[in-house]
Amino acid sequence: MTERTMPSPDAIKAWARLMRVSRQLMESAEESLKEDGLPPLAWYDVLHELAEAGEGGLRPFQLIERTLFAQYNVSRLLARLEADGLVEKLAVADDGRGQTVRITARGRETRRRMWAVYGRSIADLVGAKLSADELGMVSALLGRLRHPPAAD
């Protein structure tokens, strides 16, 4: 690495804090879900994306793009969600091997129950610790780190 490509001490410190805080927040949210007997956060992410997609559902590759899970993780997760009756797989008319995945009523209820706990975690872990101005600043700064930029 050349001096030009080496991170500054401030960049290293920011990176380390971002990674640690991210992990701690996710672990805390996961623990809250677990304490309430609810599925892991990955289930919420998939159920959320499927609910947002509406009755048309999503193809598995679209879920991979939207959640950033690896293909094999999404395949296993969808199989588990289907076995629990939270999603249903539908054949795609013009694609003999293709499937669309759609959230079921039971999946919507599970998502609603999960959000009650997850949303409370977000409020407690982030919202209660930062002012509205600080939340806006953190959101804007993290948005600048996204690649490619996305409309959040």
Side-chain angles (χ1 to χ4, degrees):
M1 277 191 156
T2 66
E3 179 116 3
R4 184 172 163 212
T5 60
M6 292 297 294
S8 69
D10 286 340
I12 294 168
K13 184 177 181 179
W15 174 265
R17 283 188 177 175
L18 182 60
M19 294 299 104
R20 284 187 198 110
V21 168
S22 177
R23 185 182 70 242
Q24 289 169 347
L25 294 175
M26 296 299 284
E27 288 172 356
S28 292
E30 288 276 7
E31 185 60 31
S32 294
L33 289 168
K34 187 176 181 179
E35 287 172 1
D36 279 33
L38 294 167
L41 202 48
W43 288 36
Y44 180 84
D45 290 343
V46 169
L47 294 173
H48 173 76
E49 291 300 334
L50 291 172
E52 292 292 309
E55 285 303 309
L58 293 171
R59 303 280 297 262
F61 76 87
Q62 292 172 305
L63 272 172
I64 292 165
E65 290 170 355
R66 292 179 186 205
T67 60
L68 302 179
F69 294 134
Q71 185 272 330
Y72 63 89
N73 287 337
V74 169
S75 297
R76 284 191 299 212
L77 181 53
L78 288 176
R80 180 66 196 271
L81 292 170
E82 184 179 31
D84 284 6
L86 304 180
V87 303
E88 59 185 349
K89 294 179 183 173
L90 308 168
V92 175
D94 60 346
D95 182 353
R97 297 186 311 152
Q99 296 178 331
T100 297
V101 182
R102 184 169 61 189
I103 191 170
T104 64
R106 185 172 176 184
R108 288 182 193 286
E109 175 59 21
T110 298
R111 176 181 174 250
R112 185 195 63 72
R113 288 182 23 246
M114 291 180 78
W115 177 248
V117 175
Y118 185 28
R120 189 170 54 245
S121 292
I122 293 170
D124 292 345
L125 296 168
V126 180
K129 295 183 179 182
L130 300 173
S131 70
D133 286 344
E134 290 169 330
L135 290 169
M137 185 184 322
V138 168
S139 180
L141 290 170
L142 292 173
R144 288 176 48 193
L145 296 177
R146 299 239 358 206
H147 181 75
D152 289 330

